[in-house]
Amino acid sequence: MKRTLGLLLVGVLIVILVGGIVQKNVEERQATDRLNTGSVVDFLPTDEGLAKGERAPDFELTTLAGEAVRLSDYKGKKVILNFWATWCPPCRAEMPDMQKYYDEQADGENVEILAVNLTTVDKGMDKINAFVEEFSLTFPIPMDTEGEIGDLYQAASIPTSYMIDTVGRVQQKIVGPMNEEMMEEFIAEME
């Protein structure tokens, strides 16, 4: 009798433990899904050319790998220009989708991703390098060490991304994280 009661108690504890794990996984997935819902925002007219159809302001930055890049170097390609920092949970949420898109579709769709790190508001090079390693990021990571490009592109809330067409015109501004499906849709709408 005691053995049966003991086995019954162990069985109940296992059911409770498994139920808790399943519930936690469901809640985490729902939280991630909520984060993966960036929104398209209306453009604020600026002299810098951030409104839809205007030529995106050119800039030159040095990547984490030490290479100088200019936005104008990518004329002829569609560009996802993303602004991020390591401490930003929505940035963390979108990076796996961004890397997956880059690995699986970017070449075929003539797309380059430039993920500009807002270095002046980040937590140091060790954190940035660890972030890039954690997510196995292989697209260019320009470093905004002066904060000027983030300011120029009005990246007050991050992540902020711009979709830039093959002739260098801004087509969309997205504030908040994107998922792979959103990237596919925005890219499909551009020339």
Side-chain angles (χ1 to χ4, degrees), residues 37-113:
T37 56
S39 56
V40 176
V41 296
D42 291 331
F43 290 92
L44 299 174
T46 67
D47 294 335
E48 292 86 9
L50 297 179
K52 185 172 185 172
E54 292 183 343
R55 191 167 310 279
D58 198 15
F59 60 83
E60 182 174 335
L61 292 173
T62 302
T63 67
L64 188 59
E67 300 171 359
V69 295
R70 297 180 63 88
L71 179 60
S72 57
D73 293 342
Y74 299 97
K75 191 172 183 180
K77 292 190 124 197
K78 300 172 187 176
V79 176
I80 299 173
L81 179 61
N82 175 263
F83 294 90
W84 66 280
T86 61
W87 50 262
C88 162
C91 299
R92 293 183 66 81
E94 81 176 349
M95 283 299 173
D97 282 317
M98 198 169 289
Q99 184 61 49
K100 185 176 181 207
Y101 179 85
Y102 189 73
D103 287 341
E104 297 175 1
Q105 298 182 54
D107 279 342
E109 296 294 327
N110 191 32
V111 174
E112 185 62 69
I113 294 176

Side-chain angles (χ1 to χ4, degrees), residues 4 36 91 95 108 127-128 150:
T4 304
N36 283 339
C91 299
M95 283 299 173
K127 296 280 187 187
I128 296 167

